[in-house]
Amino acid sequence: MLVSARNATSARPPSPIPIAGEAAYQAGLERLRESYQAIPLNARVRLAKKTSNLFRARAATDAPGLDVSGLASVISLDPGARTADVGGMCTYEDLVAATLPFGLAPTVVPQLKTITLGGAVSGMGIESSSFRAGLPHEAVLSMDILTGSGEVVTASPEGPDAELFFGFPNSYGTLGYSTRLTVELEPVARYVELRHVRFHTLDDLQEAMAGIVDAREYEGEPVDYLDGVVFSARESYLVLGRTTDEPGPLSDYTGREIYYRSIQHDGGVKRDRLTTHDYLWRWDTDWFWCSRAFGAQNPKVRRVWPKHLLRSSFYWKLVALDRRWDIGDRLAARKGEPPGERVVQDIEVHIDTIVDFLEWFLDEIPIEPIWLCPLRLRDPLPVGADPERPWPLYPLKPRETYVNVGFWSAVPKQPGQIEGRANRLIEEKVSELGGHKSLYSEAFYERAEFDELYGGDHLEKYKSRYDPGDRLLGLYDKTVRRQ
């Protein structure tokens, strides 16, 4: 079955993609079960997949991985009900391609095309709709999960496995792997009109951001999407997006033009407009700004760089080569420069402390630009959720505004410094401000603090029920000890 693009709502609709159907899903599920049974009981359980959006090293293993090749599709789509059934390994790129022709999109679309639905729900996912739509796991109606016991259970907010439903976000495969997710979709228009609003102080930026989150408008115009970029303490921006079907000139940042550079201007408000499709993937072309590390933003290089390789999945391959051969450190050594410490993190602090964190970061960590994305949990919470901590492994409180801060680069290592010095300083500052960080990259927490932040008591209870044989690594072992 093919999704028709006749009712496309984008000026440049993506190509239709196949809808897999139930039979294909069941066949993929059977292959997954067989591959799980083939893994020795004393071996680490891992996904046999070629791509990853994790930035932490893992211990090597010769054991076969889980065959998830049959779980990477859209299983079914119900435009009337605004829902989709997707395999756990389905990428947001494929889901968006299936839904946009019907004027629909996921409520939150993480920035990189290769992020999977299962990965965003069990790990990290956030975007510019998160100030009103929360996080990806909050749009999940139910999940089929292969647990550590080898069973596939269906978890929903009010079912017998409700505690697994609420405990699965931020579990990073320690409770199991989602095989199917039923997710909500939301209507989208043809275009997104952007306002790039410059601020000359971080206090003014914080005040405006807090007001927009509460009012969902700015200077009389509605705001449907909200994120920001800090270039320095005196140059920062909020990018306000408004969905619209109104025609107008369109920008294109999938070729020579670079999106984050388009945000900058001398003062006031600068306007721009993208198709909804191009807005959702505006950060992917240059992996935010990280493509500059590979020379892709050099005008001479960009002219000859194949357009189909201007995407985060290709930059990932370059990162893998760098890790394998230490290319960056070798080049630095030729210039007489020290090797670098990778600082690739997303942290979250309460909006009341965002200025404190940014001022400290700009003084202590030589990385710019910095990405900002405000978020709030959805209100009302799902039936059955704990009103104080609805997602036990994800330390966010209802009805509070947080700001995700993303910074992705490297800093020079100093002779004799401890491993991960800059990352440890960031963790200490974030903890001092009552925040936390995402676990997709290196972490250095002591066990007691980690358990307090990431629901250690809850996780032990879930593990005893859904992984009684301890076949799956614990969260601390996986994310801090990197086993």
Side-chain angles (χ1 to χ4, degrees):
M1 174 182 176
L2 289 179
V3 174
S4 170
R6 287 179 299 173
N7 298 320
T9 61
S10 168
R12 291 187 301 158
S15 300
I17 67 166
I19 301 298
E22 184 66 22
Y25 167 70
Q26 292 297 333
L29 187 59
E30 184 59 28
R31 293 201 298 274
L32 174 69
R33 286 192 174 110
E34 291 174 356
S35 67
Y36 189 64
Q37 293 170 0
I39 298 174
L41 292 178
N42 60 348
R44 297 183 183 92
V45 178
R46 288 187 177 153
L47 301 180
K49 59 193 293 274
K50 296 180 180 180
T51 61
S52 171
N53 285 286
L54 296 178
F55 273 90
R56 44 181 155 80
R58 302 187 302 178
T61 178
D62 295 326
L66 289 175
D67 182 356
V68 292
S69 60
L71 304 174
S73 301
V74 179
I75 301 166
S76 64
L77 186 62
D78 188 338
R82 297 177 183 169
T83 61
D85 270 15
V86 300
M89 297 299 116
C90 178
T91 65
Y92 276 92
E93 181 176 24
D94 284 348
L95 180 55
V96 165
T99 60
L100 271 189
F102 294 93
L104 300 170
T107 57
V108 180
V109 180
Q111 312 88 349
L112 306 182
K113 293 178 177 179
T114 56
I115 293 177
T116 63
L117 274 290
V121 169
S122 68
M124 170 65 186
I126 190 172
E127 239 292 355
S128 57
S129 61
S130 289
F131 80 103
R132 58 173 176 81
L135 298 166
H137 58 261
E138 297 189 83
V140 176
L141 301 175
S142 68
M143 291 179 278
D144 289 355
I145 299 171
L146 173 70
T147 66
S149 64
E151 296 181 272
V152 176
V153 302
T154 299
S156 62
E158 299 181 80
D161 294 288
E163 66 177 5
L164 180 60
F165 178 87
F166 289 108
F168 193 74
N170 213 50
S171 62
Y172 283 92
T174 61
L175 297 176
Y177 297 92
S178 58
T179 64
R180 166 162 48 189
L181 305 96
T182 302
V183 298
E184 296 176 350
L185 307 171
E186 68 176 11
V188 292
R190 292 175 181 268
Y191 314 107
V192 178
E193 181 175 316
L194 303 178
R195 285 181 288 168
H196 305 312
V197 184
R198 177 167 178 169
F199 297 90
H200 297 277
T201 72
L202 296 174
D203 287 313
D204 288 344
L205 173 83
Q206 186 272 345
E207 181 180 359
M209 183 161 45
I212 294 168
V213 171
D214 288 337
R216 298 191 184 181
E217 64 89 27
Y218 182 74
E219 295 186 347
E221 292 186 39
V223 176
D224 301 305
Y225 301 104
L226 173 64
D227 65 349
V229 179
V230 176
F231 290 90
S232 71
R234 296 184 179 182
E235 184 188 4
S236 58
Y237 301 85
L238 291 179
V239 180
L240 321 179
R242 176 177 67 88
T243 61
T244 179
D245 287 319
E246 301 167 7
L250 296 173
S251 295
D252 183 348
Y253 299 105
T254 62
R256 292 190 182 183
E257 300 301 317
I258 299 170
Y259 173 72
Y260 82 97
R261 289 302 183 192
S262 75
I263 295 172
Q264 294 180 277
H265 58 93
D266 292 336
V269 178
K270 177 183 178 182
R271 291 185 180 263
D272 200 355
R273 183 185 298 248
L274 297 171
T275 67
T276 296
H277 175 267
D278 285 359
Y279 175 78
L280 294 176
W281 303 127
R282 67 202 183 283
W283 292 120
D284 188 82
T285 300
D286 283 288
W287 206 355
F288 284 82
W289 30 79
C290 297
S291 67
R292 64 185 179 183
F294 313 115
Q297 294 180 27
N298 182 313
K300 294 181 180 179
V301 175
R302 197 153 182 114
R303 279 197 293 270
V304 298
W305 194 293
K307 188 173 181 178
H308 70 281
L309 297 181
L310 284 171
R311 53 180 288 143
S312 61
S313 57
F314 180 68
Y315 306 137
W316 253 113
K317 295 178 181 178
L318 298 181
V319 168
L321 289 174
D322 178 56
R323 286 183 181 176
R324 182 175 181 180
W325 302 107
D326 292 326
I327 297 172
D329 287 347
R330 290 171 185 264
L331 292 175
R334 288 186 177 184
K335 300 176 184 178
E337 299 173 354
E341 174 190 347
R342 188 174 61 199
V343 181
V344 179
Q345 304 285 356
D346 279 73
I347 65 93
E348 284 159 357
V349 294
H350 196 277
I351 195 168
D352 291 345
T353 64
I354 186 60
V355 173
D356 291 340
F357 177 78
L358 290 174
E359 289 178 341
W360 173 86
F361 188 90
L362 291 169
D363 285 342
E364 298 291 335
I365 309 295
I367 292 176
E368 56 78 26
I370 307 165
W371 186 59
L372 305 180
C373 188
L375 69 147
R376 299 188 75 166
L377 294 181
R378 287 172 61 168
D379 192 12
L381 297 170
V383 174
D386 183 331
E388 296 300 319
R389 187 164 175 162
W391 309 100
L393 307 190
Y394 215 105
L396 298 178
K397 296 180 180 179
R399 296 173 294 281
E400 297 286 342
T401 302
Y402 299 85
V403 182
N404 178 277
V405 186
F407 35 90
W408 315 289
S409 189
V411 299
K413 289 183 179 179
Q414 303 302 322
Q417 73 177 42
I418 61 172
E419 179 193 2
R421 174 183 175 276
N423 286 281
R424 292 172 190 265
L425 289 174
I426 292 167
E427 284 184 359
E428 291 171 4
K429 186 62 179 181
V430 171
S431 292
E432 175 190 321
L433 296 175
H436 72 285
K437 75 175 188 179
S438 300
L439 298 174
Y440 69 85
S441 190
E442 287 94 347
F444 299 89
Y445 292 109
E446 295 296 330
R447 184 62 185 260
E449 182 180 9
F450 182 90
D451 286 347
E452 182 178 352
L453 282 172
Y454 300 106
D457 291 342
H458 291 90
L459 186 57
E460 285 186 12
K461 181 177 70 171
Y462 305 149
K463 289 279 283 182
S464 66
R465 177 176 177 183
Y466 294 102
D467 185 24
D470 279 329
R471 291 206 65 188
L472 306 177
L473 278 175
L475 191 59
Y476 188 78
D477 289 336
K478 177 173 277 194
T479 61
V480 179
R481 292 176 175 164
R482 299 167 228 165
Q483 294 182 0

